[in-house]
Amino acid sequence: MLTSNRFAAIDIGSNAVRLLLSEVFETQNGPYFRKISLIRMPIRMGRDAFIHKKISKDNAERLLNTIQGFKSLVNAYRPLNFRACATSAMRESSNGSKIKKRIREQTGVDIQIISGKEEAKIIFANNPWSHLVDGRAWLFIDVGGGSTEITIHSSGKTVSRSFEIGTIRLLEDLVKKDHWKEMKSWIQRHTRSFFNIDAIGSGGNINKIIKLAKCSDDKTITLAKMKKVRTNLNFFSFDDRITKLGLKPDRVDVIMPAMKIYMSVMKWGGIRGISVPQIGLADGLVRIMYRDYIRSRTNRMDRAGKKSPASPSRKRRTRSTKNRSAPDACRL
């Protein structure tokens, strides 16, 4: 019988707030992470934060009510550990700390307002690089409403950067040419030495984009196919994107800016395709909590003079990624 532990995480983003209920099973091949439930509440705080530098009373109240509801679900789920993090919208609003304090006092949930660098590290935690193919370079990209986090990994070395280029900022015309030049320069500087580089994408928009592309493996989308998705979307009105394509109302206007960011990164990094494992910040929080739990459990056993249970061996994935980035990986 497999042993398992439950964890919960809340991701307070610029376009929505998400609650992830997860269970981790310990197997001989390593931990197996399973999403039990993912609940999303659309609250566009980014527009408040990036334009007015302050979250409105209405959105602050909606956030409080959402966290209160999520806390009730977390209590019913009874996880081993639980964390809540807020990103750029709360980070850049003048009343972010005040809202955080009010939520803590009324719900007991202590929200961590994290920096862009911390956000990149948490998202990076989703990818145990020991499971990736040796000898290759990997670029991890997460596009949010307020920022884009990029991590590049190769030969055991990792560099990360958070850029103030996000879907809501683009919608509100808050991204200047210098922001794009900065991102382009950084990507080209850190990828020019690689002959091949693979990419892993996260975020609600890339998950929807790959579904619209009707990818054959439902996990990888090429630059060419993403361009076709963009062209096809231009033929649909906002209303038709909701009723005929199944986009969420708060996804309709941000999906095009998201594609602009993804395609720019792919072009500048010489990337042919992006793998989409459908993970995000909340998943990274769960993985960090699980690793902290394992470390704490091992330390307790060591102090008690007991032999720690052998860590489940992790089989290195050696499956070639060549086919994943082939031009015919998706169909429209």
Side-chain angles (χ1 to χ4, degrees), residues 129-282:
W129 299 107
S130 60
H131 283 193
L132 301 179
V133 178
D134 285 334
R136 300 186 71 94
W138 297 83
L139 182 148
F140 194 103
I141 174 173
D142 180 83
V143 174
S147 62
T148 294
E149 278 65 48
I150 298 176
T151 297
I152 299 173
H153 175 89
S154 179
S155 303
K157 297 181 180 179
T158 301
V159 290
S160 297
R161 182 74 181 272
S162 178
F163 298 91
E164 290 188 355
I165 300 177
T167 57
I168 297 177
R169 289 189 199 272
L170 284 172
L171 281 178
E172 302 299 334
D173 197 26
L174 298 173
V175 179
K176 307 304 179 185
K177 288 184 179 179
D178 287 345
H179 292 126
W180 288 111
K181 289 180 181 178
E182 182 183 21
M183 177 186 277
K184 179 181 179 180
S185 175
W186 189 88
I187 291 172
Q188 291 181 336
R189 184 169 69 253
H190 287 92
T191 60
R192 65 165 60 106
S193 61
F194 303 128
F195 180 74
N196 285 314
I197 185 166
D198 295 288
I200 299 172
S202 66
N205 284 298
I206 193 68
N207 293 339
K208 189 61 183 181
I209 291 167
I210 200 168
K211 289 179 180 178
L212 292 173
K214 299 178 182 177
C215 295
S216 56
D217 62 0
D218 198 34
K219 290 183 180 179
T220 304
I221 183 168
T222 64
L223 178 58
K225 295 301 178 182
M226 194 177 295
K227 289 180 179 179
K228 288 185 179 181
V229 171
R230 181 184 60 181
T231 299
N232 288 347
L233 277 175
N234 282 327
F235 288 105
F236 291 86
S237 67
F238 274 26
D239 290 347
D240 285 343
R241 291 179 189 178
I242 295 172
T243 59
K244 296 182 179 180
L245 299 181
L247 270 66
K248 294 182 176 69
D250 66 320
R251 182 77 64 203
V252 171
D253 57 348
V254 295
I255 194 168
M256 296 296 271
M259 280 193 282
K260 180 177 181 179
I261 298 172
Y262 283 114
M263 288 190 293
S264 297
V265 171
M266 294 175 77
K267 179 182 177 181
W268 297 332
I271 298 163
R272 295 180 63 196
I274 294 182
S275 298
V276 186
Q278 296 189 343
I279 42 83
L281 182 74

Side-chain angles (χ1 to χ4, degrees), residues 11 54 67 72-73 75 79 108 143 208-209 230 240 248 272 280 290 299 324 331-332:
D11 168 14
K54 183 178 181 180
I67 298 300
S72 296
L73 291 173
N75 288 340
V143 174
K208 189 61 183 181
I209 291 167
R230 181 184 60 181
D240 285 343
K248 294 182 176 69
R272 295 180 63 196
Y290 173 74
N299 290 339
R324 289 194 310 182
R331 299 193 204 93
L332 281 172

Side-chain angles (χ1 to χ4, degrees), residues 284-302:
L285 288 172
V286 167
R287 281 165 167 76
I288 290 172
M289 285 186 284
Y290 173 74
R291 292 172 193 172
D292 289 344
Y293 161 71
I294 292 298
R295 188 181 300 112
S296 176
R297 184 181 68 180
T298 301
N299 290 339
R300 286 197 307 270
M301 296 187 73
D302 289 344

